[in-house]
Amino acid sequence: MTKLNFLGLLQNHALFRHVSIEDFSGLKKEVVKIELHKGAMLFRKGDLAEGSYIVVFGLMKLCIPSAQGNDKVLELIRAGQSLGEAMMFLDEPYPFYAEALENTLLLKIPRHALLQLLERSPLISRQMMAGLSYRLLGFIRNVERCSLQNSTQRVIDYLLQLSALQGRKDIRLELKKHLVASLLNVSPETLSRVLHQLMNKQLIKVCGATIHIDSAEALKSYQENVPVFG
């Protein structure tokens, strides 16, 4: 993988920007670089939380495993985001697993090093609490979407978010379609039906894993006016 300034990346991360030179000097000795190939596991359900992980580049998915094979996708962790903090504080095993969807580079901050830093720095503690609160808010909004939006509205919401994230109208699906369906809490058949419905309305064009949005405004307008049971 490409050679990078790992310590610079860590120091520029939002959580560590205000760490003192002395504290950062001690912290950088503890940081571990982890390289994962696509499909590799970072940890499995039941593993004990050993620290926090920052994604430098790549994409991770957090999933609850199912004996039937239809694992539930909880969240995607992108470059610049972190994972693992919550279970580290609870001192509980992970109730989900983390898998790389692309070749991914992470920086692991061991539990003892991070806890020592938090004890010394109230500012870092507040920043981490804010980050965890933001993640909780994201989960609440996801529950709200699943409870109050129908399947068509959820799919449109996902497409619009992906378009904004990627900054273009020709968006690339980050996941295979059955995983997108799991993330949106719909069946693969429902996802396909909704995509065909949007294509018939000439709101999108689908070519494999690429979806072209003709007009984000038109798609948003359709989302707001779609029938309740759409």
Side-chain angles (χ1 to χ4, degrees), residues 208-226:
T210 300
I211 296 179
H212 173 77
I213 298 175
D214 289 328
S215 168
E217 293 76 16
L219 193 57
K220 180 65 176 177
S221 177
Y222 183 77
Q223 180 194 34
E224 293 171 351
N225 295 284
V226 71

Side-chain angles (χ1 to χ4, degrees), residues 36 40-43 55 57-62 73 75-79 81 83 97-102 104-106 175:
L36 296 177
M41 292 282 188
L42 176 63
F43 54 76
V55 178
F57 63 76
L59 183 66
M60 301 292 299
K61 70 172 181 179
L62 306 184
V73 180
E75 189 179 8
L76 300 181
I77 308 296
R78 301 176 175 87
Q81 296 181 312
L83 64 150
Y97 66 84
E99 178 185 342
L101 291 172
E102 304 170 356
T104 300
L105 175 65
L106 306 103
L175 304 169

Side-chain angles (χ1 to χ4, degrees), residues 76-142:
L76 300 181
I77 308 296
R78 301 176 175 87
Q81 296 181 312
S82 61
L83 64 150
E85 304 94 327
M87 303 313 300
M88 181 192 74
F89 286 120
L90 292 174
D91 198 21
E92 291 282 341
Y94 290 110
F96 48 78
Y97 66 84
E99 178 185 342
L101 291 172
E102 304 170 356
N103 290 343
T104 300
L105 175 65
L106 306 103
L107 299 179
K108 176 184 176 181
I109 303 150
R111 183 176 185 272
H112 68 274
L114 189 53
L115 290 178
Q116 288 175 3
L117 178 62
L118 294 176
E119 288 174 359
R120 291 194 298 269
S121 174
L123 177 58
I124 301 300
S125 298
R126 289 196 297 271
Q127 288 177 322
M128 181 159 283
M129 288 174 64
L132 290 171
S133 298
Y134 182 78
R135 294 277 291 280
L136 176 60
L137 181 60
F139 277 115
I140 291 173
R141 286 175 174 168
N142 188 47

